[in-house]
PDB file of all heavy atoms in Angstrom:
ATOM      1  N   LEU A  59      61.631 139.838  -0.097  1.00  0.00           N
ATOM      2  CA  LEU A  59      61.714 140.218   1.313  1.00  0.00           C
ATOM      3  C   LEU A  59      62.720 141.349   1.513  1.00  0.00           C
ATOM      4  O   LEU A  59      63.906 141.200   1.214  1.00  0.00           O
ATOM      5  CB  LEU A  59      62.130 139.004   2.147  1.00  0.00           C
ATOM      6  CG  LEU A  59      62.075 139.165   3.657  1.00  0.00           C
ATOM      7  CD1 LEU A  59      60.641 139.268   4.140  1.00  0.00           C
ATOM      8  CD2 LEU A  59      62.771 137.991   4.337  1.00  0.00           C
ATOM      9  N   ILE A  60      62.235 142.481   2.019  1.00  0.00           N
ATOM     10  CA  ILE A  60      63.121 143.594   2.361  1.00  0.00           C
ATOM     11  C   ILE A  60      63.846 143.276   3.655  1.00  0.00           C
ATOM     12  O   ILE A  60      63.256 142.765   4.607  1.00  0.00           O
ATOM     13  CB  ILE A  60      62.317 144.899   2.506  1.00  0.00           C
ATOM     14  CG1 ILE A  60      61.756 145.331   1.149  1.00  0.00           C
ATOM     15  CG2 ILE A  60      63.179 146.017   3.084  1.00  0.00           C
ATOM     16  CD1 ILE A  60      60.842 146.551   1.221  1.00  0.00           C
ATOM     17  N   TYR A  62      65.915 145.042   6.704  1.00  0.00           N
ATOM     18  CA  TYR A  62      66.207 146.303   7.365  1.00  0.00           C
ATOM     19  C   TYR A  62      67.544 146.184   8.101  1.00  0.00           C
ATOM     20  O   TYR A  62      68.044 145.074   8.333  1.00  0.00           O
ATOM     21  CB  TYR A  62      65.077 146.663   8.323  1.00  0.00           C
ATOM     22  CG  TYR A  62      63.746 146.825   7.621  1.00  0.00           C
ATOM     23  CD1 TYR A  62      62.731 145.880   7.775  1.00  0.00           C
ATOM     24  CD2 TYR A  62      63.530 147.906   6.776  1.00  0.00           C
ATOM     25  CE1 TYR A  62      61.528 146.024   7.108  1.00  0.00           C
ATOM     26  CE2 TYR A  62      62.328 148.056   6.104  1.00  0.00           C
ATOM     27  CZ  TYR A  62      61.322 147.102   6.280  1.00  0.00           C
ATOM     28  OH  TYR A  62      60.136 147.239   5.601  1.00  0.00           O
ATOM     29  N   TYR A  64      68.511 146.354  11.157  1.00  0.00           N
ATOM     30  CA  TYR A  64      68.528 145.479  12.344  1.00  0.00           C
ATOM     31  C   TYR A  64      68.394 144.015  11.959  1.00  0.00           C
ATOM     32  O   TYR A  64      68.972 143.138  12.608  1.00  0.00           O
ATOM     33  CB  TYR A  64      67.416 145.887  13.310  1.00  0.00           C
ATOM     34  CG  TYR A  64      67.408 145.073  14.580  1.00  0.00           C
ATOM     35  CD1 TYR A  64      68.470 145.141  15.480  1.00  0.00           C
ATOM     36  CD2 TYR A  64      66.338 144.234  14.891  1.00  0.00           C
ATOM     37  CE1 TYR A  64      68.473 144.386  16.644  1.00  0.00           C
ATOM     38  CE2 TYR A  64      66.328 143.489  16.046  1.00  0.00           C
ATOM     39  CZ  TYR A  64      67.398 143.570  16.922  1.00  0.00           C
ATOM     40  OH  TYR A  64      67.406 142.821  18.080  1.00  0.00           O
ATOM     41  N   ASP A  65      67.644 143.714  10.890  1.00  0.00           N
ATOM     42  CA  ASP A  65      67.559 142.336  10.407  1.00  0.00           C
ATOM     43  C   ASP A  65      68.944 141.785  10.096  1.00  0.00           C
ATOM     44  O   ASP A  65      69.266 140.627  10.411  1.00  0.00           O
ATOM     45  CB  ASP A  65      66.711 142.263   9.130  1.00  0.00           C
ATOM     46  CG  ASP A  65      65.245 142.569   9.364  1.00  0.00           C
ATOM     47  OD1 ASP A  65      64.755 142.345  10.486  1.00  0.00           O
ATOM     48  OD2 ASP A  65      64.589 143.023   8.410  1.00  0.00           O
ATOM     49  N   ARG A 124      64.912 135.501  12.642  1.00  0.00           N
ATOM     50  CA  ARG A 124      64.304 135.743  11.331  1.00  0.00           C
ATOM     51  C   ARG A 124      63.968 137.217  11.158  1.00  0.00           C
ATOM     52  O   ARG A 124      63.764 137.932  12.136  1.00  0.00           O
ATOM     53  CB  ARG A 124      63.047 134.880  11.154  1.00  0.00           C
ATOM     54  CG  ARG A 124      61.919 135.204  12.107  1.00  0.00           C
ATOM     55  CD  ARG A 124      60.938 134.026  12.163  1.00  0.00           C
ATOM     56  NE  ARG A 124      59.770 134.318  13.003  1.00  0.00           N
ATOM     57  CZ  ARG A 124      59.775 134.268  14.331  1.00  0.00           C
ATOM     58  NH1 ARG A 124      60.884 133.985  14.991  1.00  0.00           N
ATOM     59  NH2 ARG A 124      58.661 134.514  15.009  1.00  0.00           N
ATOM     60  N   PRO A 125      63.909 137.681   9.906  1.00  0.00           N
ATOM     61  CA  PRO A 125      63.683 139.113   9.637  1.00  0.00           C
ATOM     62  C   PRO A 125      62.330 139.622  10.126  1.00  0.00           C
ATOM     63  O   PRO A 125      61.410 138.847  10.403  1.00  0.00           O
ATOM     64  CB  PRO A 125      63.786 139.198   8.113  1.00  0.00           C
ATOM     65  CG  PRO A 125      64.604 138.025   7.716  1.00  0.00           C
ATOM     66  CD  PRO A 125      64.237 136.935   8.674  1.00  0.00           C
ATOM     67  N   SER A 126      62.219 140.932  10.158  1.00  0.00           N
ATOM     68  CA  SER A 126      61.017 141.597  10.667  1.00  0.00           C
ATOM     69  C   SER A 126      59.753 141.147   9.944  1.00  0.00           C
ATOM     70  O   SER A 126      58.727 140.874  10.581  1.00  0.00           O
ATOM     71  CB  SER A 126      61.150 143.112  10.512  1.00  0.00           C
ATOM     72  OG  SER A 126      62.344 143.586  11.064  1.00  0.00           O
ATOM     73  N   ALA A 127      59.803 141.088   8.614  1.00  0.00           N
ATOM     74  CA  ALA A 127      58.604 140.763   7.843  1.00  0.00           C
ATOM     75  C   ALA A 127      58.100 139.363   8.155  1.00  0.00           C
ATOM     76  O   ALA A 127      56.888 139.136   8.251  1.00  0.00           O
ATOM     77  CB  ALA A 127      58.895 140.900   6.347  1.00  0.00           C
ATOM     78  N   CYS A 128      59.015 138.405   8.322  1.00  0.00           N
ATOM     79  CA  CYS A 128      58.630 137.029   8.664  1.00  0.00           C
ATOM     80  C   CYS A 128      58.022 136.992  10.064  1.00  0.00           C
ATOM     81  O   CYS A 128      57.019 136.312  10.310  1.00  0.00           O
ATOM     82  CB  CYS A 128      59.841 136.103   8.628  1.00  0.00           C
ATOM     83  SG  CYS A 128      60.764 136.129   7.088  1.00  0.00           S
ATOM     84  N   ARG A 129      58.631 137.706  10.958  1.00  0.00           N
ATOM     85  CA  ARG A 129      58.222 137.717  12.362  1.00  0.00           C
ATOM     86  C   ARG A 129      56.864 138.392  12.541  1.00  0.00           C
ATOM     87  O   ARG A 129      56.072 137.999  13.406  1.00  0.00           O
ATOM     88  CB  ARG A 129      59.289 138.467  13.162  1.00  0.00           C
ATOM     89  CG  ARG A 129      59.237 138.326  14.651  1.00  0.00           C
ATOM     90  CD  ARG A 129      60.463 138.985  15.255  1.00  0.00           C
ATOM     91  NE  ARG A 129      61.676 138.287  14.926  1.00  0.00           N
ATOM     92  CZ  ARG A 129      62.243 137.358  15.701  1.00  0.00           C
ATOM     93  NH1 ARG A 129      61.700 137.051  16.850  1.00  0.00           N
ATOM     94  NH2 ARG A 129      63.354 136.778  15.331  1.00  0.00           N
ATOM     95  N   MET A 130      56.577 139.404  11.747  1.00  0.00           N
ATOM     96  CA  MET A 130      55.343 140.181  11.887  1.00  0.00           C
ATOM     97  C   MET A 130      54.117 139.437  11.368  1.00  0.00           C
ATOM     98  O   MET A 130      53.019 139.593  11.899  1.00  0.00           O
ATOM     99  CB  MET A 130      55.504 141.512  11.149  1.00  0.00           C
ATOM    100  CG  MET A 130      54.327 142.467  11.285  1.00  0.00           C
ATOM    101  SD  MET A 130      54.165 143.172  12.922  1.00  0.00           S
ATOM    102  CE  MET A 130      55.585 144.268  12.956  1.00  0.00           C
ATOM    103  N   TYR A 131      54.280 138.638  10.318  1.00  0.00           N
ATOM    104  CA  TYR A 131      53.128 137.991   9.666  1.00  0.00           C
ATOM    105  C   TYR A 131      52.333 137.165  10.672  1.00  0.00           C
ATOM    106  O   TYR A 131      52.930 136.465  11.483  1.00  0.00           O
ATOM    107  CB  TYR A 131      53.613 137.099   8.510  1.00  0.00           C
ATOM    108  CG  TYR A 131      52.479 136.570   7.664  1.00  0.00           C
ATOM    109  CD1 TYR A 131      51.934 137.356   6.659  1.00  0.00           C
ATOM    110  CD2 TYR A 131      51.928 135.316   7.904  1.00  0.00           C
ATOM    111  CE1 TYR A 131      50.864 136.880   5.895  1.00  0.00           C
ATOM    112  CE2 TYR A 131      50.871 134.837   7.148  1.00  0.00           C
ATOM    113  CZ  TYR A 131      50.348 135.619   6.153  1.00  0.00           C
ATOM    114  OH  TYR A 131      49.280 135.162   5.395  1.00  0.00           O
ATOM    115  N   LEU A 178      58.706 141.021  19.019  1.00  0.00           N
ATOM    116  CA  LEU A 178      58.789 142.058  17.992  1.00  0.00           C
ATOM    117  C   LEU A 178      59.201 143.420  18.516  1.00  0.00           C
ATOM    118  O   LEU A 178      59.545 144.307  17.725  1.00  0.00           O
ATOM    119  CB  LEU A 178      57.420 142.202  17.307  1.00  0.00           C
ATOM    120  CG  LEU A 178      57.146 141.276  16.128  1.00  0.00           C
ATOM    121  CD1 LEU A 178      55.652 141.193  15.847  1.00  0.00           C
ATOM    122  CD2 LEU A 178      57.893 141.762  14.894  1.00  0.00           C
ATOM    123  N   TYR A 181      62.600 144.763  17.408  1.00  0.00           N
ATOM    124  CA  TYR A 181      62.567 144.988  15.962  1.00  0.00           C
ATOM    125  C   TYR A 181      61.836 146.289  15.645  1.00  0.00           C
ATOM    126  O   TYR A 181      62.296 147.090  14.821  1.00  0.00           O
ATOM    127  CB  TYR A 181      61.880 143.815  15.253  1.00  0.00           C
ATOM    128  CG  TYR A 181      62.741 142.592  15.104  1.00  0.00           C
ATOM    129  CD1 TYR A 181      62.939 141.715  16.162  1.00  0.00           C
ATOM    130  CD2 TYR A 181      63.373 142.296  13.895  1.00  0.00           C
ATOM    131  CE1 TYR A 181      63.724 140.586  16.031  1.00  0.00           C
ATOM    132  CE2 TYR A 181      64.165 141.169  13.745  1.00  0.00           C
ATOM    133  CZ  TYR A 181      64.339 140.314  14.813  1.00  0.00           C
ATOM    134  OH  TYR A 181      65.128 139.202  14.675  1.00  0.00           O
ATOM    135  N   ASN A 185      63.516 149.458  13.889  1.00  0.00           N
ATOM    136  CA  ASN A 185      62.990 149.813  12.574  1.00  0.00           C
ATOM    137  C   ASN A 185      62.431 151.231  12.551  1.00  0.00           C
ATOM    138  O   ASN A 185      62.459 151.903  11.519  1.00  0.00           O
ATOM    139  CB  ASN A 185      61.931 148.810  12.135  1.00  0.00           C
ATOM    140  CG  ASN A 185      62.530 147.454  11.788  1.00  0.00           C
ATOM    141  OD1 ASN A 185      63.742 147.339  11.588  1.00  0.00           O
ATOM    142  ND2 ASN A 185      61.697 146.433  11.738  1.00  0.00           N
TER     143      ASN A 185
END
Side-chain angles (χ1 to χ4, degrees):
L59 188 69
I60 293 175
Y62 299 108
Y64 182 65
D65 292 333
R124 65 199 184 281
S126 308
C128 306
R129 194 173 293 266
M130 184 71 70
Y131 189 83
L178 273 161
Y181 282 79
N185 289 344

